[in-house]
């Protein structure tokens, strides 16, 4: 039986061919390979891996050039005995499982499914992208900013100022794809929209690699349906371009029409779709 091997950080390059089986829409994988995102990566063979699983926060990526049922069974045990208990302790309620190779969906998910009380194998996701030179922001987006609102950077001064309403929510969001606020400040950037003494909306970069990044966006509930997501989203894209980024990625659920509509309104274009699995604890 093949026992999963936890790949040391100095050997992450060995798994690069497996990670790059995906069509490029998961920038987190490049961030893992670069050593910026501290994921745990298990493989069937450290020197020449043919199958792998990577876990960071609530995301789990599985891939392999050929099915390896023994390895899959061992991964299921690893999930049940180590990964899921640790995720529960961290306050998570589910894992999102991304298959990077199509053979994992039909032949290997069956083993992983048993590790979860509830398992859904066909959740639809979409990937949008904003490419400089190909996509454009809507004309006059700066004039969409309502009176009394202010755009400002998500920097240390903002994150350390606890007089803002919803600052804890924003600080939590900075850590959704980073390990700490300090990690966010070192590797990401963002734009926030304030109103009086409250944070109203924000847009944050994720998995910044070279001239690419991905985006996370949120509007506080009492400020929704006012067009603020469009303003802060456009401001973020403009700031990303100013910083030299050439492509910005946007992931969302197929059924989340408000998210897809907002991406399209800002100027993003649909690039691809995929089916992932959701394992609920």
């Amino acid at each position: 039986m093949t026992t999963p091997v936890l790949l040391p950080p100095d050997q992450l390059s060995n798994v690069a061919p497996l990670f790059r089986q995906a069509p490029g829409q998961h920038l987190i994988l490049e961030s893992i390979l670069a050593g910026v995102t501290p994921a745990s990566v298990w493989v069937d063979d450290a020197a020449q891996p043919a199958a792998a699983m990577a876990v960071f926060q609530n995301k789990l990526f599985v891939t392999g050039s050929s099915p390896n049922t023994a390895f899959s069974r061992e991964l299921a045990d690893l999930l049940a005995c180590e990964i899921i208990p640790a995720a529960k302790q961290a306050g998570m309620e589910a894992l999102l499982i991304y298959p990077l190779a199509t053979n994992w969906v039909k032949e290997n998910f069956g083993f992983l499914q048993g590790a979860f009380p509830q398992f859904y194998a066909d959740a639809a996701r979409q990937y949008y992208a904003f490419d400089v030179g190909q996509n454009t922001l809507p004309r006059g987006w700066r004039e969409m900013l309502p009176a009394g609102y202010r755009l400002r950077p998500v920097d240390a001064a903002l994150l350390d100022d606890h007089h803002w309403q919803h600052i804890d929510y924003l600080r939590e969001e900075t850590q959704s794809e980073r390990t700490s606020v300090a990690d966010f400040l070192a590797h990401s950037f963002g734009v926030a929209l304030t109103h009086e003494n409250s944070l109203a909306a924000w847009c944050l970069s994720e998995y910044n690699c070279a001239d690419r990044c991905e985006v996370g966006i949120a509007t506080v509930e009492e400020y929704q349906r006012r067009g603020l997501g469009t303003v802060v989203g456009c401001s973020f894209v403009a700031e990303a371009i100013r910083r030299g980024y050439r492509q910005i990625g946007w992931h969302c659920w197929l059924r989340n029409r408000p998210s897809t509509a907002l991406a399209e309104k800002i100027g993003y274009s649909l690039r691809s779709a995929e089916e992932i699995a959701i394992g609920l604890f």
Side-chain angles (χ1 to χ4, degrees):
M1 183 171 288
T2 303
T3 301
V5 177
L6 184 61
L7 199 62
D10 61 355
Q11 296 182 34
L12 284 172
S13 60
N14 294 350
V15 83
L18 295 179
F19 277 11
R20 289 170 179 155
Q21 288 180 336
Q25 75 265 33
H26 293 297
L27 194 54
I28 181 177
L29 300 175
E30 293 298 328
S31 185
I32 292 170
L33 292 173
V36 177
T37 296
S40 298
V41 180
W42 286 270
V43 295
D44 58 342
D45 183 279
Q48 294 183 314
M53 178 175 74
V55 180
F56 179 71
Q57 308 282 43
N58 70 333
K59 296 181 175 65
L60 187 154
F61 295 86
V62 286
T63 188
S65 57
S66 61
N68 186 327
T69 55
F71 183 64
S72 300
R73 291 191 184 97
E74 289 286 303
L75 290 183
D77 290 341
L78 185 64
L79 275 169
C81 297
E82 296 184 30
I83 296 172
I84 291 177
K88 286 181 178 179
Q89 189 172 7
M92 299 178 198
E93 298 179 350
L95 285 177
L96 308 183
I97 304 173
Y98 295 81
L100 304 183
T102 56
N103 62 308
W104 272 91
V105 177
K106 294 181 180 179
E107 300 175 29
N108 297 61
F109 267 4
F111 296 108
L112 304 185
Q113 181 174 352
F116 298 92
Q118 297 181 62
F119 191 86
Y120 303 93
D122 55 356
R125 299 276 288 174
Q126 290 184 312
Y127 175 72
Y128 284 78
F130 190 106
D131 289 279
V132 176
Q134 179 176 343
N135 299 81
T136 57
L137 292 170
R139 290 184 179 181
W141 68 264
R142 290 179 175 83
E143 284 68 51
M144 299 178 188
L145 182 66
Y149 288 80
R150 178 190 171 194
L151 286 163
R152 58 170 300 164
V154 178
D155 54 15
L158 176 64
L159 293 171
D160 291 339
D161 189 347
H162 288 270
H163 93 276
W164 293 105
Q165 291 183 25
H166 308 299
I167 188 64
D168 290 339
Y169 181 14
L170 174 56
R171 287 175 62 89
E172 182 180 338
E173 286 288 292
T174 64
Q175 300 170 77
S176 66
E177 313 300 331
R178 297 293 183 191
T179 58
S180 64
V181 172
D183 185 27
F184 171 85
L185 292 171
H187 296 109
S188 291
F189 65 94
V191 176
L193 194 56
T194 61
H195 178 245
E196 297 177 347
N197 67 334
S198 178
L199 293 161
W202 50 79
C203 197
L204 310 175
S205 74
E206 301 171 353
Y207 307 120
N208 305 48
C209 287
D211 62 352
R212 297 176 60 199
C213 69
E214 293 179 353
V215 62
I217 188 168
T219 301
V220 176
E221 186 174 0
E222 58 261 39
Y223 288 97
Q224 293 176 0
R225 298 179 179 85
R226 303 185 190 183
L228 302 181
T230 302
V231 176
V232 76
C234 288
S235 178
F236 175 87
V237 171
E239 175 63 15
I241 294 172
R242 187 190 71 80
R243 289 170 176 257
Y245 290 89
R246 305 293 295 175
Q247 185 186 80
I248 305 159
W250 177 301
H251 292 272
C252 59
W253 298 103
L254 173 64
R255 296 179 63 180
N256 188 353
R257 185 53 193 162
S259 182
T260 61
L262 178 57
E264 292 165 0
K265 190 172 184 179
I266 294 170
Y268 290 79
S269 299
L270 180 63
R271 296 288 192 268
S272 62
E274 64 180 336
E275 286 189 352
I276 73 167
I278 303 175
L280 298 175
F281 305 151

